[in-house]
Amino acid sequence: MTAIISLFFWLVMIPFCIGLVPACFISPVQRRRNPGVILLGGYFCMWALFGLVAIPAVLWVQYHNFSVASRCFTVLSILCAAAGLLMWRRKAGDYRPELTSPAREREEGIVKRFLHRTWAEKIEWLLFWALLGFQLYKAVAYTSFDGDDAYYVVESLIAQQADVMYRILPYTGGSTSLDVRHALAVFPMWVAFVAVQSGIHATIVSHVVMPVVLIPLTYLVYYEIGKGLFGEQTPGDGERLPLFMIVMCVFQIFGNVSIYTNETFFLTRTWQGKAVAGSLVIPAFLWLLLWIYQGAGKDKERDAGLWIILVCVNMTAGICSSIAVFIVSILLAVTALGLAFAQRDGRVLLRIGAACIPNVIYMGLYVMVAYGPALG
């Protein structure tokens, strides 16, 4: 019971409360500031915080660096969660006038709106939930093991039991020099942090807890993308969004055409950083850019909270995989160029370029650590 409470605290309460910080800067129009967005924003902000403390600890703290990173991350997370609650409480009064007329009816009538959906829509949503439940059941009851577990899962276990990060070679158990290829991708260390806080073996956290958390988060991102693509659905005209979710489920279930597809990584290597980068981080970029620049050319409000989350998603890419930082930078550069031409606004390049500052710092740090002695 203690382990379950701890998991709930660190995987639900803390991310949600942290997510209140960017949520305070997100407009409530079009139901953008909802619990799902708050939870997603909280997770990306939490992972960004973990990268801020874990990467310096890996590089410049030699002994007991996991404890140092864990203590700093614990303090920062609790402070940010408390700040989120305080900010939300202070701004709650400012939001009440906005929840009037049709906006308030949308917020208060979720259940009623579902009951007024057509039978086709209800069946489609039930089918989606059944497919999601099937994936979660298979991911937990028939957990998959692959060769990479000998490195990533064991690194989490070493951090949990030996209190060091990337200082012991998982294959032999002996001391090793810093492997810059993996040392800056500290997602396994966050898994180890969850294992330590809950008292559960890191292998169990990786293979059982992480799929239960990361798979629903991924579909939550797809849901927000679907809302951006299809807009507010009205009863009798809301079949496109559940159909979109069903199609995404089918793609994931039947995408195992090789061991290298994103769908294979999503369901069989869910706990690995590169799987999170491909399945969760990159779709999150598409979601945020779709929302931020939806209705290009129109004079619409720019949500500062979405930009905050975008910066944190950039930082999350770094803790997932070093190569993911380069990939998402190229993605954002191409997107910024296309939006600049579409909107005829060169400031788009500056805005998205500013959001990529963490990527530049990360790549500079990588070059410094990997090639510093050779360059010197």
Side-chain angles (χ1 to χ4, degrees), residues 177-217:
S177 58
L178 193 64
D179 180 9
V180 68
R181 176 192 169 194
H182 299 99
L184 299 186
V186 293
F187 192 83
M189 301 301 106
W190 178 74
V191 175
F193 174 82
V194 174
V196 169
Q197 295 299 322
S198 62
I200 302 175
H201 198 281
T203 306
I204 298 175
V205 173
S206 298
H207 286 267
V208 177
V209 178
M210 287 297 109
V212 174
V213 173
L214 297 175
I215 291 176
L217 279 178

Side-chain angles (χ1 to χ4, degrees), residues 72-248:
C72 294
F73 175 66
T74 300
V75 173
L76 285 176
S77 297
I78 293 176
L79 288 177
C80 289
L85 289 172
L86 290 175
M87 292 174 63
W88 188 261
R89 183 177 180 182
R90 291 184 61 182
K91 289 181 174 290
D94 299 335
Y95 294 146
R96 287 195 189 100
E98 297 171 352
L99 295 179
T100 57
S101 62
R104 184 165 187 172
E105 292 176 6
R106 287 197 300 269
E107 293 293 333
E108 294 180 348
I110 295 176
V111 176
K112 290 183 179 180
R113 286 190 298 114
F114 178 78
L115 293 177
H116 285 86
R117 298 291 185 184
T118 64
W119 278 106
E121 296 172 57
K122 294 178 183 177
I123 292 172
E124 288 168 359
W125 278 116
L126 291 175
L127 179 58
F128 162 72
W129 285 108
L131 291 173
L132 175 59
F134 173 77
Q135 292 178 62
L136 292 175
Y137 168 73
K138 286 292 185 179
V140 173
Y142 297 91
T143 185
S144 173
F145 295 87
D146 61 85
D148 281 347
D149 283 356
Y151 189 90
Y152 296 107
V153 176
V154 176
E155 281 288 9
S156 299
L157 183 58
I158 289 173
Q160 182 183 21
Q161 297 186 347
D163 196 21
V164 292
M165 298 186 292
Y166 298 111
R167 299 288 180 175
I168 297 176
L169 188 64
Y171 304 125
T172 64
S175 299
T176 184
S177 58
L178 193 64
D179 180 9
V180 68
R181 176 192 169 194
H182 299 99
L184 299 186
V186 293
F187 192 83
M189 301 301 106
W190 178 74
V191 175
F193 174 82
V194 174
V196 169
Q197 295 299 322
S198 62
I200 302 175
H201 198 281
T203 306
I204 298 175
V205 173
S206 298
H207 286 267
V208 177
V209 178
M210 287 297 109
V212 174
V213 173
L214 297 175
I215 291 176
L217 279 178
T218 301
Y219 281 109
L220 189 54
V221 171
Y222 291 147
Y223 175 74
E224 299 301 337
I225 291 175
K227 283 168 54 179
L229 291 174
F230 306 120
E232 182 71 19
Q233 303 294 298
T234 57
D237 188 33
E239 297 183 14
R240 292 175 293 177
L241 182 55
L243 281 176
F244 170 76
M245 299 301 294
I246 292 171
V247 169
M248 296 308 302

Side-chain angles (χ1 to χ4, degrees), residues 245-319:
M245 299 301 294
I246 292 171
V247 169
M248 296 308 302
C249 278
V250 172
F251 281 161
Q252 299 290 2
I253 293 173
F254 295 100
N256 185 25
V257 296
S258 80
I259 63 173
Y260 302 109
T261 63
N262 180 64
E263 293 81 5
T264 299
F265 274 74
F266 174 63
L267 292 180
T268 65
R269 305 186 184 190
T270 314
W271 50 90
Q272 296 178 10
K274 50 191 173 183
V276 177
S279 302
L280 181 59
V281 173
I282 292 178
F285 278 110
L286 302 178
W287 156 52
L288 290 169
L289 291 172
L290 176 66
W291 274 24
I292 291 173
Y293 288 102
Q294 197 168 35
K298 297 180 181 179
D299 184 18
K300 289 195 174 184
E301 179 182 354
R302 296 290 189 258
D303 285 315
L306 296 177
W307 285 101
I308 294 173
I309 299 174
L310 181 64
V311 173
C312 291
V313 174
N314 269 310
M315 300 174 69
T316 301
I319 78 167

